[in-house]
């Protein structure tokens, strides 16, 4: 049978599938945890002193220590009976709960509200078992996972509709197929990978996510809506002396560009951890069994990071970069996951001689013209993603095809073919307010929305194919995203630099107007607009940057800046769009020349 594991919290419930799925709709109400969910609803009614509590007059709604109240258990039993029986039959067969049927209309409205209460939870279904991604077994392993999710949704929805039918005395004429089951599901497996032992031994028995299913759109409300603090480099492994309970942790194997990562997170951060599958490529069966290039552990005890909130360590002996994030409420923001992963990526790339790029890259096929590789460099809130989104909205008039290579972080490599760009993510984590409305609303059905009612509301949305991320795209134009300067006759939207020294000065200075994505305010700066690796390993990065910019100019690749005006009040949407139009004009001119 389906069992709900752990506590039902204010925000979420985890369902562990430990056996056969329920076969009857009434069974979804026959568990201790169903009564706990009802108790949460009753607590909400009591908090706002709702008149609906009159339906339970004379019954005790106070929880017994950590257990549901007698009223919650009685209501759960009644609803279970109402799935299959009408009110008159219940009064005859179960007179102990028949007293709750004195106001059928009021009870129907309560059930409607309870149904909405259930759907406002973050709802997870966790399957225990194996998944084989090989070609001959993929269908056998994946279909039961998908079908069980759909079957649970059908059970919950059927239970709700039959209860409403018995209470109201008729079937509805309009059916609304809202997500009624779980909205995030995982299949876990005990994957054996070449764990180095020693400090890493504590990771060995943590189960890996092999398959994920999202019922989109998903709306999350994490406790925080911006990042704060700096990511620091440690001189020792944060896993030294650390012991993790494998029952409390999950491992998400990811492909971050060409690199293999293992992301470990405490169950407290389950919502944010699962959201990573909308941003990065989930590793296949073969990659998950390999030794990773990077390891992130999200939810470490304070002492593991020497009091720091976010830190990383380069283990040269094992050839792996290890990141750690402290377990506390302050890090309950998706940006900590994303930026820690990308910091480790950048550190690894610098050690391999590549130039990490905090920015966005796309390949644009102009109508009647050639394909152009464009890179925009800039820190958080500079207008990189927003300008590319504006490109998307202009595509019908100007562009034949547009392929995103990376939306936030990538790397540049010098080869016999020139300057080549590589990506990291298959999705984007962007500010909802700064997106073009037609683009944002057109993609909500594939999105994870975070804190949509608060400042710095965000959306995690898939953008591109993994094959395009790692294929390598020639760079034809390299621009710095300037979000703080106006555009006029002396300051054009697109400005090219004459020499590598001038370009290095602008890129190295890294100025931007802070947009509330971190705890910074006003005009701020970060080395090469990239506080995620280059700032911590500045000496290594400076040598790479000098060599790359000199070679870029030798290759004849234009370098300059694009004024997006995203940080100027009143230009949050029009600025990136105007920048995109000016840039398209530049690309057309460059292609024509």
């Amino acid at each position: 049978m389906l069992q709900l594991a752990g506590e039902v919290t204010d925000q979420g419930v985890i369902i562990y599938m430990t056996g056969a799925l329920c076969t009857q709709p009434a069974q979804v109400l026959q568990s201790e945890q169903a009564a706990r969910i009802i108790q949460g609803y009753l607590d909400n009614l009591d908090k706002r002193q709702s008149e609906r509590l009159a339906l339970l007059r004379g019954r005790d709604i106070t929880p017994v220590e950590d257990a549901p109240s007698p009223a919650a258990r009685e209501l759960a039993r009644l609803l279970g009976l109402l799935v299959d029986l009408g009110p008159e039959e219940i009064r005859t067969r179960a007179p102990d709960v028949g007293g709750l049927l004195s106001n059928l209309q009021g009870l129907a409205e309560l059930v409607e509200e309870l149904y909405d209460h259930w759907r406002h939870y973050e709802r997870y279904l966790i399957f225990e078992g194996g998944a084989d991604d090989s070609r001959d077994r993929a269908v056998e392993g994946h279909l039961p996972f998908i079908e069980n999710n759909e079957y649970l949704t059908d059970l919950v929805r059927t239970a709700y509709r039959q209860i409403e039918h018995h209470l109201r005395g008729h079937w509805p004429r309009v059916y609304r197929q809202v997500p009624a089951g779980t909205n995030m599901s995982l299949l876990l497996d005990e994957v054996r990978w070449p764990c180095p032992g020693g400090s890493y031994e504590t990771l060995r028995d943590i189960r890996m996510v092999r398959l994920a299913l999202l019922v989109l759109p998903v709306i999350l409300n994490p406790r925080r809506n911006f990042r704060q603090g700096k990511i620091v480099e440690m001189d020792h492994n944060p896993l030294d002396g650390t012991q993790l309970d494998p029952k409390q942790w999950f491992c998400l194997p990811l492909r971050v560009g060409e690199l293999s990562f293992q992301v470990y997170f405490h169950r407290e951060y389950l919502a944010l951890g699962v959201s990573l599958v909308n941003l990065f490529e989930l590793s296949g069966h073969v990659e998950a069994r390999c030794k990773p290039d990077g390891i992130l552990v999200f939810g470490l005890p304070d002492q593991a990071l020497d009091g720091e909130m976010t830190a990383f360590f380069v283990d040269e002996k094992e050839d792996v970069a290890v990141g750690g994030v402290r377990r506390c409420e302050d890090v309950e923001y998706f940006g900590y996951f994303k930026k820690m992963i990308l910091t480790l990526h950048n550190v690894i790339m610098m050690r391999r001689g590549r130039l990490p790029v905090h920015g966005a890259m796309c390949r644009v096929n102009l109508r009647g013209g050639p394909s152009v590789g464009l890179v925009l460099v800039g820190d958080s809130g500079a207008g990189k993603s927003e300008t590319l989104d504006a490109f998307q909205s202009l595509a019908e008039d100007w562009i034949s095809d547009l392929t995103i290579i990376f939306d936030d972080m990538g790397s540049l490599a010098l080869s016999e073919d020139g300057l080549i760009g590589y990506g990291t993510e298959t999705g984007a984590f962007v500010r909802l307010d700064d997106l073009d409305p037609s683009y944002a609303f057109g993609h909500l059905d594939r999105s994870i929305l975070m804190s949509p009612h608060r400042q710095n509301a965000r959306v995690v949305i898939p953008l591109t194919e993994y094959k395009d991320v790692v294929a390598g795209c020639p760079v034809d134009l390299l621009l710095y995203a300037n979000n703080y300067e106006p555009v006029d006759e002396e300051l054009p939207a697109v400005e090219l630099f004459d020499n590598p020294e001038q370009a290095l000065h602008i890129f190295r200075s890294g100025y931007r107007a802070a947009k509330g994505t971190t705890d910074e305010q006003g005009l701020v700066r970060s080395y090469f607009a990239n506080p995620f690796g280059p700032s911590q390993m500045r000496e290594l990065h400076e040598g790479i940057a000098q060599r790359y910019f000199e070679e870029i100019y030798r290759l004849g690749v234009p370098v300059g800046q694009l004024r997006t005006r995203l940080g100027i009040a009143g230009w949050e949407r029009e600025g990136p769009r105007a920048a995109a139009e000016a840039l398209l004009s530049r690309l057309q001119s460059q292609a024509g020349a």
Side-chain angles (χ1 to χ4, degrees), residues 205-217:
D205 295 328
I206 296 175
R207 294 159 301 169
M208 284 191 185
V209 176
R210 302 302 305 116
L211 296 175
L213 186 150
L214 306 179
V215 181
L216 300 169

Side-chain angles (χ1 to χ4, degrees), residues 59 74 77-78 81 87 90-92 94-104:
R59 291 167 175 80
E74 189 175 351
R77 181 164 180 262
L78 173 64
L81 292 170
I90 293 174
R91 290 189 182 102
T92 301
D96 57 316
V97 295
L100 290 172
L101 295 169
S102 59
N103 182 351
L104 297 184

